[in-house]
Amino acid sequence: MLSKTLGAAVQGIDAITVTIEVSIEWGSGFTIVGLPDTAVKESGERTRCAIIEAGFDFPRKNVVINMSPADIKKEGSAYDLPIAIGILASDEKVSTQLLDRYMIMGELGLDGSLRPIKGALPMAILARQLHLDGFILPRDNAMEAAIVNNLNVYGLDSLQQVIAFLNGQVQLQPTAVDTRAEFAKAQGQFPYDFSEVKGQENVKRAFEVACAGGHNILLIGSPGSGKSMMAKRLPSILPPLSLQEALETTKIHSVAGKLRRGTTLLTRRPFRSPHHTISPVALVGGGTYPTPGEISLAHNGVLFLDELPEFNRSVLEVMRQPLEDRLIHISRAKYAVEYPASFMLVASMNPCPCGYYGHPKKPCICTPHQRQQYLAKISGPLLDRIDLQIEVQPVAVDELASKQAGEPSAAIRARVVKARELQTQRFGATAGVHCNAQMTPSMIHQWAEPDAEGLRQLKHAIESMNMSARAYDRILKVARTIADLDGSPQVRAPHIMEAISYRSLDRSNYFNM
């Protein structure tokens, strides 16, 4: 007898339908076709033991399983459950009446228990698009999949429960999640706050500008000056995720298997901080079985690279294209995938190998050549893509000892949100552009043209500091953000001058210090 169950495969961050066809005929053997990987091929032993533990005999016949479409690679252990149900349906142990109305996915333990899978959210979205009655999957993934409205999600614990449900022996209640309530409840909860930061008002201002416009920022200063400490507080002043952004971000983390058990929706912008030993593939994504990298996991959030010059040069250079296009295209001989990568780059570094160049009290022991070699680890094109470059000086002891709290993150965030609202109105009719950092050259001419004095100041700075054309555009983007924070419809000279001050560590300028 032939049976069919519905499953899904993840490609990029979306899912496609996979039909598992099972035929049981006279003979002996167990065959899986349809480009299965090793984990799928090994499902035979897991399903055999799970079926026996559920109280059924495994068919002593020839079992042939086809996974359609046959030209797409099937990866992972999530096909165990639909394969087991297909075998039992072909052996007339499970009713086929509901099989074409439910998507079924899950990994099986040898005892028949259901174990969590990756990519449950995009699979649930696909099930809704197919107008299926529901999605059957492990209980650990139920909250994640139940984010999708108008779809019955059944989180179960064992193969026995799935069989009983499909045979009509038990009635189950679908998992219910009030997505908007969950989303609203967790807004504004952060472990770190800028009120805990003593001094560093110029750096706080630079962070405010960066968050208001979605700009990339580089902090350069001696050890212990507070670079990493302030960077960790950055999410607390970023504008809140929209529901659509939250769904998109959760989808990426679901595909990568990064969601904790019982998680429903990511409600805070991600903050990813990979170690400097990371490989290019781990950063951008891909691999033998393609998964999103750190860049995509930081989508709609922050990618923090601490000790930037310590990263391998090849790792840093692969970020150049994603920083511009906000997408990652990965093409290999056997696959091509696309991952979103709209993130805010925040990086920190020491000014020299010893770390104390420019320190007010500790002398630097590096030679000028050593300092140049250290900074040369960061290429000019990459540095050009960083809008704000800020020197961080150590905080004076008197400020550290002060008991007066700094400005709280909530106050800074309110100004950032107000500036972002102006940008939302400005770019509302333009798809894919949500903040000033994403403006195209034509949009810069339309929205960020400075007044006559501002233009004069900008030309003088570009010529005297020997900046590139990309730096020219980025100064105008930052100036537009400063004007938004100021509530000014026109980019004026003070806005241009402040934006230029944030390029003080531009390569040609810094080497001549």
Side-chain angles (χ1 to χ4, degrees):
M1 179 179 173
L2 177 68
S3 69
K4 297 181 181 181
T5 55
L6 292 177
V10 175
Q11 284 197 321
I13 62 169
D14 296 311
I16 59 171
T17 306
V18 173
T19 303
I20 295 94
E21 301 173 321
V22 180
S23 176
I24 297 180
E25 302 170 345
W26 289 108
S28 63
F30 186 92
T31 306
I32 301 179
V33 297
L35 284 183
D37 72 348
T38 303
V40 179
K41 291 177 181 177
E42 291 175 347
S43 66
E45 297 307 316
R46 291 192 296 272
T47 55
R48 183 189 305 274
C49 292
I51 287 172
I52 293 172
E53 285 293 325
F56 297 90
D57 292 328
F58 194 86
R60 297 180 180 179
K61 298 178 182 179
N62 185 37
V63 179
V64 179
I65 300 166
N66 178 46
M67 307 181 79
S68 175
D71 59 345
I72 293 176
K73 187 78 173 176
K74 317 303 184 307
E75 301 162 355
S77 55
Y79 298 103
D80 291 356
L81 182 58
I83 287 174
I85 294 298
I87 291 172
L88 291 169
S90 292
D91 202 29
E92 300 182 350
K93 300 294 194 309
V94 169
S95 171
T96 59
Q97 192 171 5
L98 300 178
L99 290 188
D100 62 344
R101 301 307 308 153
Y102 286 86
M103 181 175 287
I104 304 173
M105 293 293 284
E107 178 184 338
L108 285 172
L110 297 184
D111 59 353
S113 61
L114 294 184
R115 295 174 180 173
I117 62 175
K118 296 180 181 179
L121 180 54
M123 292 176 187
I125 293 172
L126 174 64
R128 183 180 64 180
Q129 291 172 346
L130 295 173
H131 305 290
L132 299 180
D133 290 343
F135 186 12
I136 299 171
L137 76 171
R139 189 177 299 278
D140 286 338
N141 296 110
M143 296 292 285
E144 172 190 342
I147 295 171
V148 180
N149 297 324
N150 303 318
L151 177 70
N152 292 325
V153 174
Y154 298 96
L156 303 180
D157 295 311
S158 66
L159 176 61
Q160 264 185 323
Q161 291 181 350
V162 179
I163 295 169
F165 175 70
L166 293 175
N167 285 337
Q169 297 169 351
V170 294
Q171 295 294 319
L172 300 174
Q173 290 297 317
T175 303
V177 173
D178 189 336
T179 305
R180 295 188 181 276
E182 291 281 335
F183 183 66
K185 184 173 70 173
Q187 287 293 318
Q189 299 176 2
F190 300 99
Y192 306 109
D193 195 280
F194 268 100
S195 62
E196 302 157 349
V197 179
K198 304 293 179 66
Q200 303 291 13
E201 298 304 323
N202 64 318
V203 184
K204 291 180 187 177
R205 170 63 177 177
F207 272 142
E208 181 179 339
V209 172
C211 291
H215 303 289
N216 304 320
I217 183 170
L218 170 66
L219 307 176
I220 181 166
S222 57
S225 57
K227 304 184 297 294
S228 301
M229 180 265 293
M230 287 185 284
K232 289 178 181 178
R233 285 156 175 77
L234 200 61
S236 67
I237 63 172
L238 282 167
L241 283 167
S242 67
L243 187 56
Q244 181 60 38
E245 286 177 325
L247 285 168
E248 188 177 32
T249 305
T250 306
K251 194 174 173 183
I252 296 169
H253 285 247
S254 171
V255 170
K258 300 295 184 181
L259 292 180
R260 296 194 303 270
R261 293 185 180 183
T263 299
T264 55
L265 195 66
L266 292 179
T267 55
R268 290 201 295 262
R269 293 187 182 272
F271 182 89
R272 305 294 299 182
S273 181
H275 192 260
H276 63 260
T277 55
I278 190 172
S279 69
V281 172
L283 188 68
V284 302
T288 305
Y289 305 120
T291 55
E294 289 292 333
I295 286 178
S296 294
L297 292 171
H299 181 63
N300 290 324
V302 174
L303 178 68
F304 177 50
L305 302 184
D306 200 7
E307 302 299 340
L308 188 65
E310 302 303 327
F311 283 78
N312 190 290
R313 179 74 175 249
S314 62
V315 172
L316 296 180
E317 292 307 300
V318 298
M319 291 195 300
R320 285 162 56 176
Q321 180 262 335
L323 283 170
E324 290 291 329
D325 298 343
R326 300 184 181 272
L327 280 173
I328 295 175
H329 305 274
I330 300 173
S331 297
R332 299 291 184 268
K334 295 183 179 180
Y335 66 83
V337 294
E338 183 178 280
Y339 296 123
S342 181
F343 63 95
M344 180 177 162
L345 175 64
V346 180
S348 69
M349 60 179 287
N350 295 329
C352 64
C354 80
Y356 294 105
Y357 179 64
H359 194 281
K361 294 183 179 179
K362 295 185 179 182
C364 173
I365 61 173
C366 305
T367 65
H369 178 66
Q370 286 175 323
R371 290 195 293 268
Q372 283 197 337
Q373 280 191 317
Y374 187 71
L375 289 176
K377 292 180 180 180
I378 308 170
S379 69
L382 178 60
L383 200 61
D384 257 354
R385 288 169 168 83
I386 300 176
D387 305 340
L388 294 89
Q389 305 157 5
I390 310 299
E391 277 193 282
V392 182
Q393 293 295 330
V395 180
V397 176
D398 290 341
E399 287 184 296
L400 287 175
S402 173
K403 295 183 179 180
Q404 184 177 357
E407 186 179 24
S409 293
I412 304 173
R413 194 185 204 195
R415 296 194 294 269
V416 169
V417 169
K418 188 175 180 180
R420 283 289 184 104
E421 287 172 351
L422 292 174
Q423 294 164 49
T424 300
Q425 295 172 9
R426 181 182 302 138
F427 307 126
T430 308
V433 179
H434 308 288
C435 58
N436 290 332
Q438 299 172 343
M439 284 194 293
T440 62
S442 62
M443 297 171 75
I444 292 173
H445 290 303
Q446 181 179 0
W447 300 109
E449 279 295 324
D451 58 16
E453 177 59 19
L455 184 59
R456 189 188 69 80
Q457 297 275 14
L458 179 56
K459 288 180 178 178
H460 175 73
I462 293 294
E463 292 173 357
S464 62
M465 297 174 70
N466 194 27
M467 293 182 181
S468 68
R470 183 181 286 112
Y472 178 92
D473 283 350
R474 292 188 177 271
I475 287 173
L476 287 177
K477 291 180 182 181
V478 173
R480 178 66 267 173
T481 300
I482 296 168
D484 288 340
L485 286 167
D486 199 27
S488 171
Q490 173 71 51
V491 176
R492 302 196 305 270
H495 307 141
I496 292 290
M497 292 305 296
E498 183 178 353
I500 292 171
S501 73
Y502 296 139
R503 300 291 301 193
S504 60
L505 300 184
D506 201 285
R507 179 173 294 272
S508 61
N509 179 56
Y510 196 78
F511 276 167
N512 293 327
M513 290 178 63

